[in-house]
Amino acid sequence: MLVILLVTRGTAVQALSPAVIDVLAAGSDVVEATGSAKALWQLSNSRPFDVVVLQCGLGERRQNHAGCVDLIRSIFRRWPWMPVVLVGAATERLWADVLLTGVRAFLTRGFTIGNLTRLVARVARRHGTPVPSTGSVATMRRVFALLDEHAGETPSLRDLARMSQMSRSHFSRTFHSVAGMPLRGYVRELRLKRAHELLVSGKFSLTAVAMESASTTCRTSTRRSAGASGPRRAPSGRGTPTRRGDAR
């Protein structure tokens, strides 16, 4: 049975009606929290959760999502492996603000109860899965900082594994368990976030941002190809990813 933390913002318009909450609780253990402080307290002091369902945006003036985004980022800083399902009014700015966080899915107005329950089941951690060790989290946080610093030319998997004193396979597994997504998914979101920041700064045209993004991808691909040895392996064919960059 999944353990769900359900966070509401206490706004006048509620995306999650009592009926919806009852359906979630029928197959899962649901703990409710109103507001950021109570949500963080629950995550710090309560039982281990498998997923956070967070209401955001509905009923807030001018679509002010600052408090919601701050909570999401706080969760990622402290529990980066925790998946978050965001429920509410979707805006382009909100999408950009929650890149590189634990948000794995977004449900907007008009969603069905079936949509919500299926999505929660799909993105939640498997119940009972141990959380990453303190050492693994600390190492991956250093990797996050390095990737952010070198967003223009991402270090290779080989280099990151060597820096972390791990084999490439061990590094990949550890990165995924801590970040909640594989390295390639994280890098993709890092580039999207950078492109959005360039756009909203008003200093660059859409064409310039697109060319910069393409140039970054090309430099990284070329460097990896130059460092590769032997024939390239065919894809494993294990299936189609079910969420952002997640190829379980």
Side-chain angles (χ1 to χ4, degrees):
M1 178 180 289
L2 293 178
V3 182
I4 302 171
L5 178 60
L6 178 61
V7 185
T8 58
R9 301 271 295 147
T11 54
V13 182
Q14 297 293 328
L16 301 174
S17 67
V20 173
I21 296 172
D22 287 344
V23 170
L24 281 178
S28 305
D29 187 358
V30 177
V31 177
E32 295 184 54
T34 301
S36 298
K38 291 182 179 179
L40 293 174
W41 187 92
Q42 288 287 352
L43 286 165
S44 299
N45 299 285
S46 188
R47 72 198 82 175
F49 291 97
D50 300 310
V51 62
V52 175
V53 177
L54 173 60
Q55 176 187 303
C56 182
L58 294 179
E60 297 180 10
R61 291 184 178 181
R62 299 180 182 178
Q63 299 300 320
N64 179 11
H65 302 115
C68 181
V69 171
D70 286 345
L71 174 57
I72 291 168
R73 289 175 176 171
S74 293
I75 292 173
F76 187 76
R77 281 194 298 270
R78 299 174 65 177
W79 307 279
W81 59 86
M82 182 63 65
V84 176
V85 175
L86 203 53
V87 181
T91 65
E92 179 183 337
R93 179 59 183 271
L94 182 57
W95 271 109
D97 284 344
V98 299
L99 288 170
L100 299 181
T101 67
V103 173
R104 298 285 172 267
F106 214 141
L107 278 176
T108 57
R109 296 173 188 268
F111 68 88
T112 66
I113 295 177
N115 291 151
L116 178 59
T117 54
R118 284 192 295 272
L119 205 54
V120 167
R122 193 177 76 199
V123 306
R125 289 166 51 81
R126 183 175 298 175
H127 184 63
T129 301
V131 300
S133 68
T134 302
S136 294
V137 174
T139 299
M140 291 304 110
R141 280 177 175 155
R142 290 194 292 271
V143 172
F144 295 162
L146 182 68
L147 291 173
D148 186 61
E149 183 180 350
H150 296 278
E153 188 172 354
T154 308
S156 67
L157 171 61
R158 184 193 302 271
D159 291 339
L160 293 171
R162 185 183 299 117
M163 181 198 79
S164 304
Q165 298 182 336
M166 300 177 183
S167 68
R168 283 179 287 179
S169 59
H170 185 201
F171 175 87
S172 295
R173 289 193 301 270
T174 303
F175 188 96
H176 198 159
S177 70
V178 173
M181 68 182 86
L183 176 62
R184 65 181 178 275
Y186 189 92
V187 170
R188 180 166 60 248
E189 292 204 5
L190 185 63
R191 290 173 180 165
L192 285 171
K193 192 172 185 67
R194 176 176 172 79
H196 183 266
E197 289 170 349
L198 291 174
L199 278 175
V200 298
S201 71
K203 298 178 180 178
F204 301 92
S205 67
L206 180 60
T207 301
V209 171
M211 291 179 64
E212 169 62 20
S213 299
S215 175
T216 297
T217 302
C218 183
R219 288 198 302 269
T220 302
S221 300
T222 301
R223 181 166 51 83
R224 286 178 178 171
S225 298
S229 59
R232 296 185 65 180
R233 284 182 162 182
S236 61
R238 289 188 176 181
T240 302
T242 58
R243 62 181 194 258
R244 297 182 321 189
D246 191 353
R248 282 184 178 177

